[in-house]
Amino acid sequence: MPPPGPGGHGASEGAPITRIIAEVAATFPGERISLGEMAGAFGDRGFGLLILLLCLPSLLPGMASVFGLPMLLLGLQMGLGWRQPQLPGFLARKTVRRTDLLRLASASSRGLRFVERFVRPRPGWCAGPLGDRMVGWLTVYAALMLILPGPGTNGPPAFGTIIMALGVVEQDSRVTAAGLVVTLAGCLFASGVLLALCWMGLRALGWLF
């Protein structure tokens, strides 16, 4: 019997991130897994899955800008109401090693254990089309904050986006709603830091009185 996709609970119990990643690894037994394969296999849940996988490394120093562009593209598609991610060839061919994926899932679950305790399928408007669109546009905002350089501006948007993505994959309206709030707060914080840096830079150059 094939393993259930993200959001299914038949294969194993445990921390949602670890379980989701284990299901992905079980679905694709090869040494490397491409983003295109994952997008095609998990349908409309592929958005949450891919955003989650791209955002997890963004919690690590120096890694956020690498994953910001594909996150931006996925967020745009989701915000526009697309039901399944469509990746351009250069992104679809990108692969990750199974071992790296499982290692990242284990490390991330330790940091997100408190949030993962509350994740389970729960219906609601945040688990529907309107919620998906809101997640998409906030993912765009978060991706921009990850792409733009700034001290301490990557972690808060990335953390909120991971919570949103978990809610999308698990179809948990309550966790998705919490992720929307945390992501917005994180992005506003990052925007404030970047604006302050720009203001200080202009002052230093003498362009402002």
Side-chain angles (χ1 to χ4, degrees), residues 70-81:
M71 277 181 56
L72 179 65
L73 177 61
L74 289 167
L76 280 172
Q77 293 180 359
M78 199 173 182
L80 291 171

Side-chain angles (χ1 to χ4, degrees), residues 3-7 24 27-28 34-51 74 77-78 81-87 132 165 168-171:
V24 172
T27 302
F28 303 102
S34 75
L35 297 183
E37 287 175 328
M38 287 187 280
F42 294 107
D44 60 352
R45 297 299 93 193
F47 277 117
L49 174 66
L50 290 175
I51 291 170
L74 289 167
Q77 293 180 359
M78 199 173 182
W82 293 25
R83 300 312 305 161
Q84 186 168 332
Q86 300 291 329
L87 297 177
D132 285 349
V168 170
V169 175
E170 295 288 88
Q171 297 182 304

